[in-house]
Amino acid sequence: MSEQHGGSVLQAFTGLSSEEIEILAMADRFAQKEVYPLAQRMDDEEWWPTDIFPKIGQTGYFGVTAPTALGGAGMDLFTSGLILQAISRWNHALGLAWVAHENLCLHNILRNANAEQQQRFVPGMCKGELIGALGLTEPGAGSDALGSMRTTARREGGHYVLNGSKLYITNGPIADVLLVYAKTDKDRGAQGISAFIVEKDFPGFKVAQKLNKMGFRGSQTGELVFEDCRVPVENLVGGENRGVKVVMSGLDLERAMISPICLGIAERAFALALDYARQRKQFGRPISDFQMVQAKLADMYTRVESMRLFTYQVLRAATVIGEDGGGRGEIHKLTAAGVLYVAETMNQVLNDAVQVHGGSGYIWESEINRLYRSIKLLEIGAGTSEVRKMIIAKELLAS
């Protein structure tokens, strides 16, 4: 097979252009070399490698969608998804930290902040010198994050004073820049929410606790507290009581970017199961000789490929939506369906992968066990599977 013909076949298999295939391959090589060696210690100790974000920034894997004038790559959301897929193959905990920084914070600032705010924060985030996070979920507000929000912000001269707390915040304990939502008009419900850029050294802001997780260990997750936290008016994003617009502009993009994490994890689990089946011998033969194991491998392959196609379809659709196009309609339905399917299918892949590994897959220190402990989060975060079904049904019945 010629190189040219082989390339066209690969494009047909993956749904990627030759340039996208090369981007994914380069990111994969970087991730295998630089982030995979960190994974075991991150899981063992809930350890955060402080030098990895600057290293990612130096490589150009932050600020993917940011303009070059701000230190970014000037590329699109689909390219971000490919980089996230590669990182998540080799270190899914770091993939989660990457997406919280890159998509939930940096990309949201790009879409909603004014030019002065972008100039202040985006270059440092592109370099990995500033770590970003998103502060939305609260102790009493998960799936109903907007309607049940209790964190408040009141205007006092040149500042807003924030009071309340946020929970389960990825990157929270290590973040330098946080995009935080608070109610500025209690009487208006969800329409009275505003978005703020909170910097870690603002008086009244603190990390109450770092949380110890079952999976995605090493990705730092915490509870944040605001006690008369003074935020300059200049850090208000998108205007007072305009927070819902900021949330909705990024919500579908967040769901679209969860799928590459699932895909990367499933790809790695399948590769581990395939290698183990070839090497592990029982009754004098590799277990890959047995039809029961072959059936599981065939199922895993089919599921991973279906995940790949749906992930890329949703990413391409999310890439072209405008700033006001999220939170409703076809893209709202599609992103919910995509992450619903991909997260639940990943669960099936991981279950079979652990089964192929047998007893070794049940051991905490094994890589397949580390992957298996991660999967439940992806059926909960960015809207639970149940909420995703509600969104799909609502959009179907409204059409």
Side-chain angles (χ1 to χ4, degrees):
M1 181 183 292
S2 70
E3 184 176 343
Q4 182 178 2
H5 182 61
S8 64
V9 170
L10 186 58
Q11 290 170 35
F13 284 165
T14 62
L16 301 178
S17 68
S18 56
E19 181 181 1
E20 289 164 345
I21 290 170
E22 181 58 25
I23 288 171
L24 180 59
M26 289 176 62
D28 185 82
R29 288 192 292 270
F30 169 80
Q32 185 175 9
K33 179 183 177 183
E34 300 292 347
V35 308
Y36 182 59
L38 309 173
Q40 185 69 60
R41 184 181 171 190
M42 288 176 70
D43 188 68
D44 288 345
E45 303 174 17
E46 274 277 11
W47 168 70
W48 175 252
T50 55
D51 61 342
I52 191 59
F53 262 40
K55 187 173 291 186
I56 293 173
Q58 291 167 8
T59 311
Y61 289 148
F62 282 140
V64 179
T65 59
T68 54
L70 292 174
M75 303 182 82
D76 60 17
L77 187 77
F78 190 86
T79 304
S80 288
L82 295 179
I83 293 168
L84 177 58
Q85 176 189 345
I87 292 174
S88 299
R89 279 178 185 166
W90 296 104
N91 188 329
H92 56 276
L94 193 56
L96 187 65
W98 184 95
V99 79
H101 168 88
E102 173 78 9
N103 181 252
L104 302 189
C105 189
L106 195 161
H107 191 73
N108 259 335
I109 288 174
L110 283 171
R111 288 173 69 92
N112 297 285
N114 60 39
E116 186 276 331
Q117 291 167 338
Q118 292 178 11
Q119 190 62 54
R120 241 193 316 154
F121 298 108
V122 171
M125 296 181 75
C126 290
K127 293 176 184 177
E129 295 171 353
L130 298 177
I131 297 177
L134 176 74
L136 177 62
T137 302
E138 298 186 358
S143 297
D144 186 23
L146 299 180
S148 300
M149 187 176 295
R150 293 184 178 179
T151 299
T152 61
R154 70 178 188 275
R155 178 79 180 262
E156 283 190 2
H159 289 79
Y160 284 90
V161 180
L162 273 62
N163 281 283
S165 62
K166 302 291 180 179
L167 190 61
Y168 310 130
I169 305 304
T170 303
N171 290 355
I174 54 173
D176 303 289
V177 178
L178 304 100
L179 187 60
V180 175
Y181 295 92
K183 281 196 173 178
T184 40
D185 189 338
K186 296 180 183 179
D187 296 332
R188 296 183 61 185
Q191 297 304 316
I193 291 171
S194 300
F196 302 89
I197 296 175
V198 175
E199 300 169 56
K200 68 176 182 180
D201 57 354
F202 281 175
F205 168 71
K206 67 177 181 180
V207 178
Q209 60 174 324
K210 186 178 84 67
L211 301 172
N212 191 24
K213 305 185 300 296
M214 176 175 73
F216 285 94
R217 293 169 54 79
S219 166
Q220 304 295 290
T221 305
E223 180 183 8
L224 312 178
V225 172
F226 307 88
E227 295 177 344
D228 290 333
C229 176
R230 297 181 65 80
V231 179
V233 170
E234 291 78 18
N235 283 32
L236 174 69
V237 176
E240 190 170 296
N241 298 328
R242 300 283 289 169
V244 168
K245 179 179 181 293
V246 179
V247 172
M248 299 313 289
S249 74
L251 192 58
D252 290 320
L253 303 184
E254 178 185 355
R255 291 200 177 104
M257 290 292 283
I258 293 296
S259 292
I261 302 177
C262 300
L263 176 58
I265 291 172
E267 287 178 317
R268 181 61 181 158
F270 176 57
L272 289 170
L274 191 60
D275 286 347
Y276 188 84
R278 287 169 171 156
Q279 296 167 12
R280 174 67 169 169
K281 290 186 178 181
Q282 291 289 280
F283 308 104
R285 300 160 60 190
I287 63 173
S288 58
D289 283 356
F290 299 112
Q291 288 184 342
M292 287 284 196
V293 174
Q294 291 175 1
K296 291 189 181 301
L297 295 174
D299 284 342
M300 280 188 277
Y301 168 79
T302 304
R303 287 168 177 151
V304 169
E305 291 308 308
S306 69
M307 290 172 64
R308 186 188 319 283
L309 294 175
F310 209 166
T311 295
Y312 292 169
Q313 176 195 358
V314 174
L315 276 173
R316 291 201 191 279
T319 296
V320 299
I321 63 171
E323 291 188 12
D324 298 323
R328 62 184 185 278
E330 287 298 320
I331 191 63
H332 200 42
K333 177 173 60 179
L334 184 62
T335 57
V339 72
L340 171 68
Y341 176 80
V342 170
E344 293 189 349
T345 305
M346 174 193 58
N347 198 317
Q348 296 172 314
V349 172
L350 267 293
N351 190 61
D352 278 348
V354 171
Q355 192 71 17
V356 168
H357 278 77
S360 67
Y362 199 69
I363 302 304
W364 183 276
E365 290 81 8
S366 68
E367 184 175 357
I368 197 65
N369 186 277
R370 181 166 74 237
L371 297 176
Y372 187 73
R373 285 184 273 112
S374 71
I375 59 178
K376 182 49 66 176
L377 174 64
L378 299 167
E379 294 179 316
I380 296 172
T384 64
S385 292
E386 291 75 16
V387 168
R388 295 163 193 171
K389 291 178 182 179
M390 290 167 58
I391 290 169
I392 297 165
K394 180 179 179 181
E395 296 296 338
L396 286 172
L397 296 171
S399 60

